[in-house]
Every structure is written in C-alpha cells, then in structure tokens.
Amino acid sequence: MGHIRVEHLGKAYKQYGARWSRLIEWVLPFRGRRHQLKWVLNDINFTLAPGEAVGIIGVNGAGKSTLLKLITGTAQPTTGSVSMSGRVAALLELGMGFHPDFTGRQNAYMAGQLIGLTSAEVGELMQEILEFAEIGDYIDQPVRVYSSGMQMRLAFSVATARRPDVLIVDEALSVGDAYFQHKSFERIRQFRKLGTTLLIVSHDRAAMQSICDRAILLDGGRLAREGSPEEVMDYYNALIAERENGAIEQVVTPEGRVQTTSGSGAATVASITLEDEDGAQVELVNVGAAVSLCVTVKVRQALPRLVLGYMIKDRLGQQIYGTNTHHMECALHDLRAGETVRYRFRFPLNLGPGSYSLTTALTSNETHLADNYEWRDLAFLFIVMNLNRKQFVGSSWLEPTVEIER
C-alpha cells in the first residue's frame, strides 16, 4: 500500500523585467540577480495514509496541477519535499507522454513502461486495455486523429490496467463522455476498496463526496482549507462568490457538522420550519407526505431584486433537489430596508428514508456569484422515515404501478 507525504512544498518561477536580464544574470552573476520570484505554491503540507482518498479543489490558477506535477516528479520543487511509497500511476495533462505520430497501441506500450510495466506485461494487459478504452480500430491509428475523449479513454485505461498502490488523477476525466466518466469512477471506487491510495483533482461535488475521505482547498497557491469533503466544498462555494462583497463563517453544529455561512448580510434568513398538512411543525416526516417549507427573510438593506433558493442534500452532502424563485418566475423587486418576507413552498416529500439538510441562498439573480446576500449550508435538518410505504431503496420515492402479461 502506498502513502504520500508533502512537507513545506513550494514552487516559484523566475520573472525577468527585461528581455536581456536573463542573459546578463547568467553571464555576469556577480552583478546580482535580475529576477523576481513568482510563487505559485507556498508551504503546502499534508499526508495521505495508505488507502486514503483525498480530493483537491480550487479555482483556476490556484496551483492544483502544479501541485500534482511536483508530487509525481514531472516538475521540481523550489522548497520542501515529497515522499511516496508503492507503485504510482498518474493521469495528469490529457495525453501527456503520447506521441501524435505513433499509434494508440504503440503509445500504450510506451505509457505502460513509464508507470513501471514491462513490454511483456503491457502485452498481456493489452486486451483488457482495449476492452476498457472502447476505441475500436482506432487503437492502430495515429493518436493525432484521436478526439480528446479518445485520448483520455486510452490514457486512463493504460494507467489503471493494473491496480496501483497510489493513483493520482487530474481533471482530465472531465473531458470524457458521461458514460466513460461513470465507468472510470466505478474503477476508481473498486481500487479504493482494494486499498489504493487516491489523490484526485475534480470539481464534481458528487464524485468528490462519494469517493474521498478528505478534501483540500487551494487558494492563491496556499492550503486554504482541509477537512471533510462536504465542509471544504461548502467553503469553496462560499469563496467563489463575490469576494469583496461578503464574509465567510464556519461553525460546528450540535450534530458535529460544519455549517458554512457567507454573504454581504444585505438580507438574511430569520427562520425555517417544515410543516405538515395541518400546519404543525415537524422534523420527522413520512415518505411522500405533503409538506410546506416555510422561510422567513429579513431585508436589512434596500434591494432592487431578491431571489430565494433552497437545496435539499442527503447526509453525505450530495445534492438531491434545488430550485429558486428566479426559476419559478416569482422574484421580488424594490424591497425596503427592514421589510420581512415570508415564503411557503408546498410539495410532496418524495424522498427515501434518511437524514437530510437544507441549504438556503439569498441573491439578486439565479446564482450567488453576482450578489451573494446570504448563503447558508445546513440551515435546517430533517429526517424522512418509511412509516407505511412498501419497502424500497434509494433517495427517491417513485412507486410504480405494474402490468404483467404471461
């Protein structure tokens, strides 16, 4: 089993002020340096235990790909160190190591040798590689005629033809079609069960939360957050909102989960209740019961437009259902400071048994990226139980009728 240890890792590039500064620095080193260091990563520390899965997220330019290159050794760090054990397979930039004029089969042999397989081993695994990649006769065509998705299929198939001790995957999987993404993540899940250590960069919240034990948020080349995938993804969603127009706060709830709240505070959710058909407040609901979600909003500043959105998540933080009053075509306009607005959403709670949470968002439009008045995760918790329905499994109650002919 493999492990990864990253200690005080940093990467800086030299920036020269003029065209000839680099040459002068080389030829006349005694005249002093003529460059400045541009740090893209600075003082990164974390450890992956054997068999652990960790996801890395961050906005473009945060340093995610650079970090993976330093870990895999395709780039050298300016400061710090990386130590790993076990056989490592990495899928970084799309088609990295592929020669465009060689066939897919030839590139498969070369890529296999780069991850420590012999030519004989690649030959033994070739049929399995072909079956998993599903690129047909293109395997004997030059890679230059491949689409990006076909390159990703072949690269992933070779990298995972034999279970590695450590698997490192960049965002290349996002290039493929939905079918192959599901197929790839299923293989990753199987590797996880068998003890493979996983380091993955992805913005797919559902994949991150279903596969990873922890998540790491990079921001501006620094490790900004580390924790459970739900906690870090919530913080990330708050971070990518308009930064100059809001603050981010995280607190631990009595249930031990981390609640993230962000926004300017121009409006706030004052109360949330879930009511049954008789108007009684409930926190435990039968599958399929008719309920009303009641939300009271207090407006603190005059607002030209107000949109309320809500998202229902399961216990893992995966999104089950969400909507907002923009999409429902009932946004409010010209609100006064001090005004109170009460919303009532009625719907059948067609969810499977389990615990659920509610996220609320107050914005001026369909997303919270422009005007984030308030975004609150874990704003309300409730439980769904199967009290009188037929037995079923899953996150949704979709009870069918059936007709059978013999």
Side-chain angles (χ1 to χ4, degrees):
M1 297 177 72
H3 84 281
I4 302 175
R5 182 182 298 275
V6 174
E7 297 181 300
H8 305 293
L9 196 64
K11 180 65 176 178
Y13 294 96
K14 294 180 180 179
Q15 288 186 328
Y16 291 88
R19 178 186 300 179
W20 300 104
S21 298
R22 185 189 300 268
L23 179 60
I24 295 172
E25 186 178 82
W26 288 349
V27 176
L28 302 172
F30 54 86
R31 297 286 296 272
R33 75 177 192 179
R34 294 176 176 268
H35 67 268
Q36 293 182 334
L37 291 178
K38 171 65 175 179
W39 289 90
V40 294
L41 284 175
N42 202 344
D43 198 28
I44 304 296
N45 296 273
F46 63 88
T47 300
L48 269 72
E52 189 177 20
V54 172
I56 299 176
I57 60 172
V59 297
N60 291 337
K64 306 183 298 296
S65 295
T66 300
L67 175 60
L68 295 193
K69 290 178 182 178
L70 296 178
I71 291 174
T72 56
T74 58
Q76 294 302 309
T78 305
T79 60
S81 62
V82 176
S83 62
M84 287 192 295
S85 65
R87 193 174 71 83
V88 180
L91 188 64
L92 302 182
E93 293 179 4
L94 186 63
M96 178 181 284
F98 281 4
H99 193 293
D101 294 327
F102 291 169
T103 67
R105 191 183 302 272
Q106 291 169 325
N107 275 293
Y109 273 96
M110 291 188 294
Q113 292 174 29
L114 287 175
I115 61 173
L117 300 175
T118 66
S119 294
E121 288 174 324
V122 176
E124 293 174 359
L125 295 168
M126 184 58 70
Q127 186 59 37
E128 181 181 336
I129 292 171
L130 296 179
E131 291 176 356
F132 193 86
E134 297 185 47
I135 60 174
D137 294 338
Y138 277 95
I139 190 65
D140 292 310
Q141 297 294 320
V143 166
R144 67 172 180 270
V145 305
Y146 285 21
S147 66
S148 58
M150 291 170 64
Q151 289 186 49
M152 189 276 292
R153 283 171 173 256
L154 182 58
F156 184 85
S157 300
V158 174
T160 60
R162 179 165 292 174
R163 186 182 71 84
D165 297 310
V166 178
L167 178 61
I168 300 174
V169 182
D170 203 347
E171 293 173 294
L173 285 179
S174 62
V175 175
D177 56 82
Y179 162 73
F180 195 76
Q181 287 182 26
H182 282 284
K183 189 175 180 180
S184 301
F185 277 111
E186 184 56 35
R187 173 167 281 192
I188 291 173
R189 291 187 184 93
Q190 292 174 359
F191 284 175
R192 277 228 57 207
K193 293 177 182 178
L194 296 173
T196 292
T197 302
L198 175 66
L199 184 63
I200 183 171
V201 170
S202 176
H203 287 94
D204 186 334
R205 181 180 184 126
M208 185 81 75
Q209 294 183 181
S210 65
I211 292 176
C212 298
D213 304 303
R214 284 187 294 132
I216 291 172
L217 172 62
L218 292 182
D219 184 38
R222 293 184 177 273
L223 198 158
R225 212 78 181 179
E226 184 175 3
S228 70
E230 180 183 13
E231 170 190 344
V232 174
M233 289 299 291
D234 287 344
Y235 188 88
Y236 172 65
N237 285 333
L239 191 66
I240 62 176
E242 189 176 345
R243 298 192 182 197
E244 67 272 15
N245 194 31
I248 303 173
E249 179 185 9
Q250 287 192 313
V251 298
V252 179
T253 68
E255 295 81 14
R257 300 171 71 178
V258 178
Q259 181 187 58
T260 303
T261 304
S262 66
S264 65
T268 184
V269 172
S271 68
I272 301 174
T273 59
L274 195 64
E275 298 179 358
D276 62 17
E277 290 182 294
D278 298 325
Q281 295 184 14
V282 292
E283 293 183 4
L284 192 154
V285 188
N286 187 25
V287 169
V291 296
S292 296
L293 175 64
C294 304
V295 182
T296 300
V297 174
K298 289 192 174 181
V299 181
R300 293 174 173 171
Q301 300 175 16
L303 300 175
R305 193 170 191 264
L306 178 65
V307 172
L308 169 65
Y310 69 88
M311 174 73 71
I312 298 175
K313 301 179 183 179
D314 66 11
R315 63 181 181 83
L316 298 177
Q318 299 185 82
Q319 298 172 350
I320 302 299
Y321 178 81
T323 189
N324 62 43
T325 55
H326 171 86
H327 295 306
M328 298 174 71
E329 300 181 351
C330 54
L332 300 178
H333 297 81
D334 301 322
L335 292 98
R336 303 182 307 277
E339 192 172 347
T340 297
V341 183
R342 295 178 178 84
Y343 296 85
R344 181 180 294 270
F345 302 90
R346 293 185 173 90
F347 50 88
L349 203 59
N350 294 336
L351 300 178
S355 60
Y356 296 88
S357 68
L358 194 79
T359 294
T360 57
L362 295 171
T363 69
S364 65
N365 214 305
E366 58 183 313
T367 74
H368 71 298
L369 300 183
D371 294 303
N372 178 23
Y373 303 141
E374 182 183 81
W375 176 287
R376 183 179 299 177
D377 290 289
L378 301 177
F380 184 78
L381 303 176
F382 62 94
I383 296 174
V384 177
M385 294 187 66
N386 188 351
L387 301 178
N388 56 7
R389 311 296 184 186
K390 293 183 176 66
Q391 184 68 30
F392 70 98
V393 296
S395 61
S396 301
W397 183 53
L398 305 172
E399 188 170 46
T401 59
V402 58
E403 295 178 1
I404 302 174
E405 294 183 1
R406 295 186 64 181

